[in-house]
Structures are given as structure tokens and as C-alpha cells.
Amino acid sequence: MSDKRTEISELGEFGLIDHLNQKVKIKNSSSLKGIGDDAAIIESGDKVKVVSTDLLLEGVHFDLAYAPLPHVGFKAVAVNVSDIAAMNAIPKQITVSIALSNRFSVEAVDALYSGIHAACEHYGVDLVGGDTTASRSGLVISITAIGEAKKEEISYRSGAKVNDILCVTGDLGGALVGLQILEREKQVYLANPDMKPDLEKYTLVTARQLKPDARMDIIHELKDLEVVPTSMMDISDGLASEIFHICKASGVGATIYEDKLPIDKQTFDTAVELNLDPITCVLNGGEDYELLFTIDQKDFAKLEKHPDIHFIGHITKAEEGKYLVTKSGTAVQIKAQGWKHF
Ligand code: ADP
Ligand code: MG
């Protein structure tokens, strides 16, 4: 150890992961994919196992002032299932580890687990283990999800090719806008506890934030249509940031079109009400847990009529860069803002 002190914020989250990855040497040939994708891929007989883990901290990832415990439990499972989906695999098992401060009662733990069980039912996964410990401050939840796929079905971030079509599912920006509304109503409540928060108008966006649904429906449909995305990841940090990841891993560029970006009306209207630019919310909002993927042009006809898959652009050569073509036809460089954890 030298005396030099480097702030984590100098590297950022992704820089720190790259830094840690430099010291990792894979020893087992069964470790097909290690650090650097939505999940690790491990050879297992004639199939592969897909493993992903996530850590959620009270006060960082959720605020119990407005997130009900069952929703926190559901979301903790859903975000892991989403990473399994992002590899084009089917989740089968989860383990759940929790750390609790003495603020939490058995009833509170039951409430958290009611959401975990609901998600296990919804995604068809089994809860097979975990760990329980005390915490000095608040609730910590760590979930590991294990999925399965055939080796040739796995979609890595690194498979996008020039002229592939960029697709996203659902609509984007809702979870960020929902979070802003929940934060605003929390402040109103803190200033005046007698005021009842008026969330009626915002049910869709607040649900996007509090209870996201991993797009396993799309994974099953792609399977039925015999489409294997050439690359895929889930949108947890914002579309712009995820496009950067796919482009970096695949050694390509991308062009997307503003008029193709999917945004829900309630997200749009609420963004405007909050003085946020709706397109910025779509590009940089986190936690939507939709899927971003690329397909070979030959598969376009199979997905063309799908009501919930949007074709937002195409893959270009790396030297062509990453651009958003605005409604007025100007090409602007995409900046990966994403979520800053540090
Ligand atoms: P996601 O947003 O899909 O959950 P992350 O950005 O958290 O993915 O992680 C990217 C990659 O880095 C994954 O392969 C993950 O397993 C790996 N990773 C993240 N943190 C660590 C760590 N502390 N040590 C080793 N690998 C890590
Ligand atoms: Mg992911």
C-alpha cells in the first residue's frame, strides 16, 4: 500500500468495477463469463447456469417513508430476475440475505417476505436459502438469483453487430419521474404531517418506481418466436448509460432516434409538471428495468408487430460514435449520465 489516497468518486462505479476486475484471474473452464455482464455464466452439463446478485440498502436504494415493505421485497427479487432476463435466461432459484436493526419487528420482516414470496410466485422461482444478521443502521437486502439457459441462447452485452436493430421494451423514464413525485410528497408531508399526499394522478409512475416488473414475458415471447437477441442488457441505470455498455462491450457505435423513444403519457405530463425534460428522463432515468437489445435484421419481421417492443435505432461502426437524432433532424452525441452512486 502506498500513501496515495484515491477517492472512489475519481473512478466512479464502473471504473471501480474495472479496477477490481483487473486482479481477477479465471481458473475454472466452467466459468464461461465472469465480471462485466448482467450476470455470470457457468457451464453446467448441457446447459448453463446464470448467476446475478444485487445489494439494496435502506436510505440508498429505498426509503421506507414511502416504500411499503412488501413492495421493497418484491422489487429486490424483480431487479435480480431482470438481470437473469437480460442474459435471455429463465430464473429458477433465489437466495435472500437480510441485515436488520432492532427497529424491525417480526411483523415487519413478514411484510417484507410477503413481497418476496409474491415475486417468487410471479416469476416461478424458489427461495432456497440466504443469511440473516444484525445491522447497526436500517435494513439491508442482498439477493442472488440463479437461472438457466441453453448455451447458444445466452445474449451477452458483447454481441451487437453493425446494422443490427436496437430495440427497447415498454416505456422509459417512469421510475425516475415516480421517484421525484414520491420525494416531493415526502417533503410536503414532513413540512405538514396533516396533509394527505395526493398521489392519485401519479399511480402509474409511482408504481414504476415502487414495484417494477422484470420483463420475463418478453424473454418467453422471444423464445416462442425463435429470436435470440445478438446482445442484451436490462435498463437499470438509464438508456444512455446502457447503450454505452453495449457499444463498449461489442466494439460498435449506435444511432438512435428521438421520435422512436417510448415514453408513457403520464411520465411525459408529470416530467413537464416537474420542470424536467421528458427526453432527458427517458435517456438518463434509472430503474425502469425494461430490456435493451439488438436483433439481426433478418429477425425484424418476427417482432415488427409486437405492441411492446420499440425499434429505436441501429448499430453503427465504432468510429461513427453514439448519436441521438432529434425530431428536427440534428444528430447530437449521446452522453452517458446514468446514476452516480459515488
Ligand atoms: P447490474 O447493474 O446489471 O446489476 P452492475 O453494474 O452492478 O450490474 O455490475 C456489472 C458487473 O460487475 C457484473 O458482472 C457484476 O457481477 C460485477 N461486479 C459488481 N460489483 C462487483 C464487485 N464488488 N466485485 C466483483 N464483481 C462485481
Ligand atoms: Mg443489469
Side-chain angles (χ1 to χ4, degrees), residues 62-74 111-112 210:
F62 58 89
D63 185 337
L64 292 176
Y66 49 71
L69 278 165
H71 286 33
V72 172
F74 191 99
L112 175 73
L210 294 174

Side-chain angles (χ1 to χ4, degrees), residues 279-330:
I279 292 301
T280 306
C281 294
V282 168
L283 289 172
N284 296 321
E287 298 197 285
D288 286 313
Y289 298 101
E290 295 292 344
L291 294 168
L292 168 69
F293 59 95
T294 53
I295 55 166
D296 190 292
Q297 295 212 359
K298 73 170 166 40
D299 287 326
F300 177 64
K302 290 188 200 170
L303 300 183
E304 195 183 356
K305 298 234 159 56
H306 196 292
D308 216 19
I309 296 177
H310 310 280
F311 308 98
I312 62 164
H314 58 271
I315 296 294
T316 59
K317 288 187 191 139
E319 56 269 29
E320 288 177 49
K322 294 170 274 288
Y323 282 94
L324 168 76
V325 179
T326 64
K327 283 181 185 153
S328 60
T330 337

Side-chain angles (χ1 to χ4, degrees), residues 171 204-205 262-272:
D171 56 82
L204 198 139
V205 290
I263 181 163
D264 174 82
K265 185 168 185 313
Q266 189 176 101
T267 303
F268 187 96
D269 292 347
T270 312
V272 170

Side-chain angles (χ1 to χ4, degrees), residues 11-15 233 237-248 256 279-280 282-286 292 321-324 332-341:
L11 299 182
E13 181 193 358
F14 302 132
M233 65 184 298
D237 292 337
L239 177 65
S241 168
E242 317 306 16
I243 286 178
F244 266 71
H245 281 305
I246 290 213
C247 287
K248 186 176 175 206
I256 61 171
I279 292 301
T280 306
V282 168
L283 289 172
N284 296 321
L292 168 69
K322 294 170 274 288
Y323 282 94
L324 168 76
V332 291
Q333 211 155 5
I334 302 173
K335 292 192 201 77
Q337 238 170 343
W339 282 117
K340 296 262 180 297
H341 297 290

Side-chain angles (χ1 to χ4, degrees), residues 222-254:
L222 290 173
K223 226 171 266 307
D224 292 345
L225 293 164
E226 298 182 352
V227 174
V228 176
T230 52
S231 70
M232 182 153 60
M233 65 184 298
D234 69 336
I235 306 178
S236 52
D237 292 337
L239 177 65
S241 168
E242 317 306 16
I243 286 178
F244 266 71
H245 281 305
I246 290 213
C247 287
K248 186 176 175 206
S250 299
V252 295

